[in-house]
Amino acid sequence: MKTLLFSSPIFISKPTTNNITHKASLFSSQLGFSCCPMNINTTSNAFKLRVIRNNSKEYEDEDEDEDEDEEKDGLLLGAEKDTVAEFQLIPQSGVFEVGNFHDGILASKDDEESVDDELIQERNTQLTYNIVFVTSEASPYSKTGGLGDVCGSLPIALAARGHRVMVVSPRYLHGGPSDKKFAGATNLNCGTKVHCFGGIQEVDFYHEYRAGVDWVFVDHPSYHRPGNPYGDMYGAFGDNQFRFTLLCQAACEAPLVLRLGGFTYGEKCLFLANDWHAGLVPVLLAAKYRPNGVYKDARSIIAIHNLAHQWYGALEWIFPTWARTHALDTGQAVNILKGAIVTADRILTVSQGYSWEITTPEGGYGLNELLSSRKFVINGITNGIDVTEWDPSSDVHIASHYSVDDLSGKIDCKIALQKELGLPVLPDCPLVGFIGRLDYQKGIDILLSATPNLLQDDVQFIMLGSGEKQYEEWMRASEAAFSDRFRGWVGFNVPISHRITAGCDILLMPSRFEPCGLNQLYAMRYGTIPVVHGTGGLRDTVKSFNPFAEEGKGEGTGRLTSECTLLLCDFEQMDLLTIDKRMHVGFQYEQVFEWAFIDPPYVT
Ligand SMILES: Nc1ncnc2c1ncn2[C@@H]1O[C@H](COP(=O)(O)OP(=O)(O)O[C@H]2O[C@H](CO)[C@@H](O)[C@H](O)[C@H]2O)[C@@H](O)[C@H]1O
């Protein structure tokens, strides 16, 4: 069996057979609000994982004299931790157990116990809430990353559980085809005036009722410009603080002034503010409304999807040197997210691992002490995914459909992807993918240093992403240098992201930190092996395959490491079973909502 050694940190090598388009973890990650979960026992197409620590002596598996055709070497990320988390957000789902909310899997079931039946059983939500999501993006209307995904799907899932849900987001008009996404939203003719940055601004509200959710779009000229929600080719918009302050002001008015279906959401609602863009909502409730007797019975939750974005997105105002008060004054002012952390009734993160990481100096981005002081109101709930959009048996973007019962379509997707991107059509060649923002968080520098070695062997590598110019240039240069092995798609393209997820054998996610991560969840649902750095939500959701467990029949859904050390491995006989343990996400949110209303609200 061919085994490879590499001097660079990452590697996946040697051709795999079609079998690597296996049942690996297929359908394992589901938000499940529209599909019944599948309970899968994958016993065929087994792959053995052999690991070799980089720059260390190669580990040779003595037993690997099986069929030559099925031998595969690969490279992956290192040390493992068998933390699993699968989740469901099922309307009217079955039995709900209150597990250890802070420590791991909630309401998990034993492996062989089928969860299908119980998940589709009726379950009446005991308490329903009027929930107001405030977010800078919500798919399909607007999306630049995972925030859009979550705020596009979670509201629908909660509405399906009986809650009344409104999502307030800007009505972005960029002057291109994406404007059509708002075509279904009509002007409520209920404009209002809000104070913002020392002036009075008029905003309109557009509304679309879809999938049980009131989608409310705040309309203002500052949301009408080319680019994306946050910037254009010249960088971030200089007035982003104004634009998102306006969003927060309008969102606070919406439950009071908008009669949706004949009734307002009223004062006793629950605001779910997402990231810094919506961070002024809890602050406004505490400082503007409650002191005036409004929203006394409302509560707010700040959902942190990415703490790192606070400084560079929200803290853009730095006083000039002459205006600083003392020698140690760096001039930094206004951190909206910090205000939200202080004033919100509860704090949510998008995985349990991340809820701890943000309280550490490494993960707290300067707010760790503040967050530690509020630790008693922090909870982590692992993101779910939209299983309607991300379903290989019905995905409109992929070449061929497949399911756990018939995986043949996956190899068709691989061939179609190779053709589409002009790569040699080699069904047996390992096809490795990456999708994501090109920045430090996503570990692009690690990929960059590893790629030349990776591409020395029979491997194809496809990257889709946009972000820092230096990495975009590197992708273009690599494509020119390795034209038969590498494709770098610079840009943001949702259909291509689906095709990469379906067509690749392996998806790399060497993120330095990852609050949750969605691509590994999509990969697991599409039978694509996620190879991830075991941090934050990646550690919570990917179960590392253990090649030595149960005489080589161990379970797993991918490969993870506790450090950015990348390992050589062999996927032959890697037995990736779908995990039967799933979190009942809906219940988790409801538990947090309930806690939010138990304590008195923050008042200035
Ligand atoms: N070039 C491109 N073309 C098409 N699609 C692209 C793309 N680049 C990225 N995407 C898509 O955007 C989403 C990104 O999801 P991530 O989980 O990586 O979120 P992100 O880091 O943006 O957000 C933060 O919020 C989310 C949600 O809470 C957390 O999961 C995450 O850890 C945290 O950093 C995925 O759907 C991905 O497929």
Side-chain angles (χ1 to χ4, degrees), residues 143 146 149 305 383 437 441-442 491 493 514-519:
K143 168 178 165 176
D149 282 347
H305 296 258
N383 281 333
R437 255 180 301 112
Q441 175 192 347
K442 303 294 180 185
N493 190 310
E514 197 60 79
C516 177
L518 296 174
N519 288 320

Side-chain angles (χ1 to χ4, degrees), residues 17 40 51 54 58 76 83 164 186 194 240 367 398 415 422 439 478 548 559:
T17 64
I40 303 162
V51 291
N54 184 42
E58 176 180 307
L76 296 185
T83 306
R164 193 174 181 212
T186 51
V194 293
N240 277 347
L367 295 179
I398 63 178
I415 291 168
D439 66 14
S478 297
F548 308 110
R559 187 73 189 151

Side-chain angles (χ1 to χ4, degrees), residues 213-236:
V213 172
D214 289 306
W215 302 91
V216 172
F217 303 107
V218 180
D219 195 54
H220 185 270
S222 66
Y223 302 137
H224 304 171
R225 57 179 67 156
N228 68 35
Y230 312 112
D232 58 16
M233 57 189 293
Y234 303 107

Side-chain angles (χ1 to χ4, degrees), residues 137 143-150 275 304-307 309 350 354 383 389-390 434-439 441-442 464-466 489-498 501 509 511 513-522 537:
E137 50 184 281
K143 168 178 165 176
T144 69
L147 175 65
D149 282 347
V150 172
D275 274 351
I304 299 175
H305 296 258
N306 197 333
L307 196 60
H309 289 166
V350 290
Y354 195 58
N383 281 333
E389 185 190 348
W390 293 92
F434 170 89
I435 302 164
R437 255 180 301 112
L438 304 177
D439 66 14
Q441 175 192 347
K442 303 294 180 185
L464 166 65
S466 57
W489 186 300
V490 176
F492 195 91
N493 190 310
V494 172
I496 292 288
S497 73
H498 281 244
T501 305
M509 294 184 72
S511 304
F513 69 94
E514 197 60 79
C516 177
L518 296 174
N519 288 320
Q520 82 280 12
L521 306 179
Y522 302 144

